[in-house]
Every structure is written in structure tokens, then in C-alpha cells.
Amino acid sequence: MRRMLVTGGAGFIGSNFVHDTVRSFPEVELTVLDLLTYAGSQRNLDAVSDRITFVHGDICDSSLVDGLVRDTDVVVHFAAESHVDNSLNDPSPFIRTNIVGTFTLLEAVRKHGVRLHHISTDEVFGDLPLDSDDQFTEQTAYDPSSPYSASKAGSDMLVRAWVRSYGVQATISNCANNYGPYQHVEKLIPRQITNVLLGDRPKLYGAGDNVREWTHVTDHNTAVHRIITAGRIGETYLIGSGDERSNRQIVSELLTLMNHPADAYDHVPDRPGHDLRYSNNTTKLRTELGWAPTYDFTAGLRATIEWYRENSAWWKPAKSATEAKYKLLGR
Ligand code: NAD
Ligand code: DAU
């Protein structure tokens, strides 16, 4: 797998994946295909710009995709519309990019016999009760709640069908919430860190009891590399650190780490259809592929706070537009 095409490589997880790949697999020839939506920036790839080929384009553009896939050995597919709140406000780009875009890639890998790894989310499974130890497994039935998760569920189903019907060489991974550098300020952790840095208060949806499982983006990407190199074709692998926290705990922890009172946050109206809790059982990935997370959550959160403190030039241009969007939603 000498030549790799990374879709969505200018976004949060994709750009971290490109950095990690350049560092750990210097022999790989990397091409990034990204539309540079509001969520992507070529600046995220500045440090590796001389090591990659960047193509500004759309995964729904079948002739562009066909030409790029023809000249690669493996496609790692991160490109997506990724934010639940945006999907509730306007689902249409989610249907287009997440479903039609994945279909376009599948047709190209089918034609050229190219390996595909599809990046997905635990949100396809719906949610779990708050007061339980239940977990999602690779066998959990799909039950998505939001337009975002429904569009990702649709894309996963297409990949499974192309594997079964056409023998496409594909794998899927479903990861829980990621955090780390280069995450857009619309997401929970960067939004609250940057609020505090600007002297504003963090905003908690509803009571703040909803629970998420937080995985450092580098641990996610290590798992993706394991699956690309050793995963079984046609299989799905769940990824997650096991670090579950309520949103209130997250906000309190980051306020404390930033030397503010732990309760210096505001409650805002809840997200409609808000999933209660996510938790992935990662036994398959750990036992079959020997993966384990390496990040301690508090240390990772502290490093992430420092990254946003030191990179205000990166996030400030997007901050006011993002907060203006939230203001319209009342959140
Ligand atoms: P992101 O929103 O930060 O980045 C998405 C990237 O895709 C951007 O660079 C954007 O420009 C690009 N893109 C969007 N539409 C495109 C199109 N039509 N053609 C080409 N490029 C396009 O997203 P992220 O948080 O990095 O998520 C990456 C992937 O990981 C997504 O598939 C998401 O569903 C999945 N995922 C995310 C998380 C998380 O916590 N962020 C967790 C699990 C899975
Ligand atoms: O589980 C994986 C998913 O994690 C990915 O598939 C998505 O792409 C990614 O965006 C993320 O989805 P969430 O909806 O869980 O992430 P978000 O950062 O939007 O919110 C995390 C939790 O925090 C959620 O319960 C809503 C809450 N929240 C969010 C924001 C932005 C708040 O309480 N306040 C906020 O300001």
C-alpha cells in the first residue's frame, strides 16, 4: 500500500491522520482530496505540505474521484459533514456528502479494485441508557437519531452492500468522540476552551448529564492504521478509549485546568433528540489487532487546552461565525 488517498484530510481527524502517516510511514505517497468546506483548512497541512499532494475537490465529483482512485492503492475515507447541530439545522449537505459522496468513492474503488477504509461513528447505533453499563458492539443494530447519524448509517450500509455484492475490499471503523488539536470550534471541547480563553462562559446543553466516550485523535488514528494494515476485509471494528464522562464533568474539568471555578458555566436549551450516552466495546480491535489507547484523558485535555491557547490565530477567524450560528439556535 504505497499510494494512499485520504479524503477529508484537511479536517480535524483527517489532518491529524496525515501528520501521523507522514511521521510513522514516510514511505507512503499521500494524496489528500478535500473540498475545504467551513470545516477544512489547507493550513492544517502546512507542516507537511512538501510531503503530500493536495487536491481541492469534491468526493461527489465522479470523474475527479475516478482519476484519483485509479492511481492509488488504498483510500482512507474521512470526508464528511460531521456536526450534529448543523445536520438538525440543514440536513441536505449531510445527505449529499455522506451518502452520495461515499457512493461515488465505492463505485471508483469497485471499478479499479482499490482497498477502502471507511471512517464512521458510534452514533449510527443510537444511544444507551445513562444509568447502565451497556455497550455498543459490532453486532448492535443500527438506530440513528439525527440526520448526521442517519447519513453516516446510510454510508456504512452502502459499504457493507458493496463488499457483499461486488466483493469490494473494504473495512469500516466506528469511533466514539475525538478530541485533540485542529478540532473545529463548533465541537464541545474546543468551543468551551475558546469561550474561556475569550472570557465567556462554557455552554452546557440541558442538564449536562449526557455521557460521551472521549478518545484522543492520535489513538483513533493509530487504530485506523492497524485496521488498514491488518484488518480483515469486510469487517467492522469499534474504536474507543473507555474514558466516559458526562458533559458537565468535561466542562468542570476544563474550567479547573484553566484556573476557573468548576461551576462557572451556563445551561442552554438542549439539543433536540439529544443522544444520552455512547460507549464502545473494543474487545475485537484489542484482541484481533492488538490496539490499545495510550492517552490519559486529563493529560490529553491539558495538552489540548495548551494547543488552543497557543494557536488563537488558527481558531479565532471561525469563532465569531460559529457563535453567531449558535445564537440563532438559542444555544
Ligand atoms: P471535520 O468536519 O473536521 O472534517 C471534515 C473534512 O471533510 C473537512 O476537511 C471538509 O472540508 C471535508 N469535506 C466535507 N465535504 C466534503 C466533500 N463533499 N468532498 C471532499 N471533502 C469534503 O470532521 P472530523 O471531525 O475530522 O470527522 C472526520 C470523519 O470521522 C467523519 O467521517 C466523521 O463522521 C468521523 N468521526 C468523527 C468523530 C469526531 O469526534 N469528530 C468521531 C467518530 C467518527
Ligand atoms: O460519537 C462520535 C461523534 O462525536 C462524531 O460522529 C461526530 O462527528 C462528532 O461531532 C461527535 O458528536 P457529538 O454530537 O457527540 O459531539 P459535540 O461536540 O457536538 O457534542 C458533544 C456533547 O456535548 C453532546 O452531548 C452535546 C454537548 N454539547 C455540545 C456543544 C457544542 C454541549 O453541552 N454544549 C455545546 O456547546
Side-chain angles (χ1 to χ4, degrees):
M1 298 207 197
R2 197 175 49 82
R3 300 166 304 169
M4 183 182 281
L5 175 65
V6 180
T7 72
F12 163 47
I13 306 175
S15 64
N16 278 282
F17 179 84
V18 171
H19 286 119
D20 293 348
T21 306
V22 165
R23 196 169 37 244
S24 304
F25 302 91
E27 70 284 3
V28 171
E29 281 175 28
L30 275 163
T31 300
V32 170
L33 170 61
D34 199 296
L35 187 56
L36 300 179
T37 67
Y38 80 96
S41 170
Q42 228 179 314
R43 286 179 307 149
N44 299 355
L45 299 169
D46 275 353
V48 291
S49 58
D50 56 339
R51 304 285 302 278
I52 65 169
T53 303
F54 183 82
V55 179
H56 181 196
D58 191 339
I59 57 166
C60 300
D61 178 341
S62 52
S63 65
L64 173 67
V65 164
D66 185 83
L68 292 171
V69 168
R70 188 190 56 218
D71 292 335
T72 198
D73 301 313
V74 57
V75 178
V76 189
H77 176 32
F78 291 93
E81 286 291 337
S82 68
H83 194 42
V84 173
D85 291 322
N86 290 344
S87 81
L88 291 163
N89 202 32
D90 178 10
S92 58
F94 289 75
I95 304 306
R96 182 178 181 279
T97 288
N98 299 359
I99 299 182
V100 178
T102 302
F103 161 73
T104 306
L105 281 163
L106 281 166
E107 284 295 82
V109 295
R110 171 160 86 101
K111 180 171 166 194
H112 298 292
V114 166
R115 167 92 165 83
L116 170 74
H117 180 68
H118 175 61
I119 306 292
S120 193
T121 168
D122 57 356
E123 296 198 14
V124 298
F125 302 119
D127 61 356
L128 298 163
L130 278 182
D131 50 358
S132 78
D133 296 326
D134 296 356
Q135 290 201 300
F136 300 131
T137 71
E138 285 79 6
Q139 282 71 46
T140 302
Y142 278 35
D143 188 19
S145 314
S146 69
Y148 162 68
S149 52
S151 68
K152 291 297 290 188
S155 66
D156 291 12
M157 294 300 179
L158 292 177
V159 175
R160 290 181 180 195
W162 263 240
V163 168
R164 176 155 172 173
S165 298
Y166 300 120
V168 159
Q169 304 280 297
T171 41
I172 299 175
S173 55
N174 300 79
C175 191
N177 289 64
N178 283 212
Y179 70 101
Y182 297 105
Q183 187 168 30
H184 195 277
V185 288
E186 68 193 355
K187 304 295 197 304
L188 175 72
I189 288 179
R191 183 182 186 202
Q192 315 313 345
I193 294 172
T194 54
N195 275 0
V196 175
L197 289 174
L198 290 173
D200 294 333
R201 286 162 69 93
K203 309 279 181 254
L204 263 184
Y205 291 177
D209 289 334
N210 304 57
V211 170
R212 296 292 183 265
E213 181 187 4
W214 290 96
T215 303
H216 193 275
V217 64
T218 301
D219 281 333
H220 181 178
N221 285 329
T222 309
V224 171
H225 276 295
R226 293 290 306 142
I227 297 165
I228 295 166
T229 48
R232 284 182 293 136
I233 297 301
E235 293 292 316
T236 290
Y237 295 88
L238 299 196
I239 306 172
S241 65
D243 277 319
E244 289 184 38
R245 302 269 193 293
S246 73
N247 296 334
R248 199 171 42 248
Q249 284 173 306
I250 294 286
V251 165
S252 294
E253 189 166 353
L254 74 83
L255 278 163
T256 305
L257 289 172
M258 296 176 81
N259 301 315
H260 287 263
D263 61 354
Y265 51 76
D266 293 331
H267 291 280
V268 294
D270 210 349
R271 172 187 281 174
H274 197 170
D275 280 342
L276 293 175
R277 176 175 158 257
Y278 306 139
S279 176
N280 278 347
N281 182 317
T282 55
T283 306
K284 180 175 174 181
L285 180 67
R286 289 169 189 255
T287 54
E288 240 183 59
L289 302 183
W291 175 85
T294 58
Y295 275 78
D296 165 76
F297 180 74
T298 303
L301 186 59
R302 191 180 283 115
T304 303
I305 292 168
E306 283 319 304
W307 190 87
Y308 281 90
R309 208 190 287 286
E310 284 162 17
N311 289 279
S312 58
W314 181 87
W315 57 263
K316 270 198 178 147
K319 182 66 179 170
S320 46
T322 303
E323 290 304 320
K325 259 200 241 178
Y326 277 123
K327 198 164 180 206
L328 286 175
L329 297 173
R331 292 200 283 277

